[in-house]
Amino acid sequence: MMFRIPFLTKVLGAGAVGLVLAAGSAAGAGPAINAALASGHSTVTATAKQAASTTARRLGIRARRLVIRSEADVLHLTLRQLRTDVRGGTSVEQLAAKAGMNKSQFTAAVVADLKPRLQKLVQAGKIKQNQADAIIDKVQKGWLPLWTLHPRTAAPGTAAPSASQSPTS
């Protein structure tokens, strides 16, 4: 019966478990569940924290995708073209320089393109207004994914030689 506790907390979440218990539907769910929930809220609290971090991660991923899409639009590229350029080693900074923009001009253009996208998501109920404001604020402070590229030390799938190995060995 102990395997039901994590399953219920993952599937239903902390709030739903509380609602089920308040409604009295879980009275016959088994003594292991009731004892675990009565003994402490550590499982429920840990699950709530995990759910909050998962939600924040999803929002961060969505924000990154939206900003990259706005970067592509400002550069008058499709997402596929931008992806190809970045994989080829060209950073967004270099693409913006080719388009005649510095970082502040590029950031202002990205923010102008991003605001209507975020407003649509707020109106659709996908994100909250304070989350949209936080994304805009972060971009205005200089967060631009793919602006600079981190050089790879070796080709993908190959290990870089260690310091103790000589290039001739």
Side-chain angles (χ1 to χ4, degrees):
M1 284 241 184
M2 291 305 291
F3 68 95
R4 290 186 183 180
I5 295 170
F7 178 75
L8 280 177
T9 55
K10 286 180 183 176
V11 173
L12 298 177
V17 170
L19 289 175
V20 170
L21 288 174
S25 302
I33 295 173
N34 292 334
L37 291 175
S39 67
H41 293 41
S42 62
T43 305
V44 175
T45 305
T47 304
K49 287 180 183 176
Q50 183 181 10
S53 69
T54 301
T55 304
R57 179 167 169 75
R58 283 189 201 132
L59 179 64
I61 292 169
R62 176 179 276 174
R64 180 180 166 84
R65 287 179 180 167
L66 285 169
V67 173
I68 290 173
R69 185 167 285 139
S70 292
E71 288 176 349
D73 286 348
V74 168
L75 293 169
H76 304 291
L77 299 173
T78 64
L79 283 174
R80 180 170 288 187
Q81 290 170 331
L82 180 62
R83 184 182 314 120
T84 303
D85 288 344
V86 168
R87 287 182 179 168
T90 306
S91 68
V92 171
E93 181 179 17
Q94 294 166 337
L95 295 171
K98 286 180 186 176
M101 291 185 273
N102 61 21
K103 188 170 184 175
S104 62
Q105 293 168 335
F106 185 74
T107 301
V110 168
V111 167
D113 188 73
L114 190 61
K115 281 184 180 180
R117 293 176 194 270
L118 290 171
Q119 195 58 38
K120 285 180 185 178
L121 290 174
V122 169
Q123 290 172 351
K126 303 277 184 181
I127 63 172
K128 296 177 183 163
Q129 183 63 48
N130 63 348
Q131 293 171 329
D133 294 340
I135 293 169
I136 293 293
D137 186 49
K138 192 172 180 180
V139 171
Q140 287 174 338
K141 288 181 179 176
W143 178 64
L144 293 169
L146 310 177
W147 180 254
T148 57
L149 298 178
H150 300 290
R152 293 184 179 167
T153 56
T158 61
S162 65
S164 63
Q165 294 176 333
S166 67
T168 58
S169 57

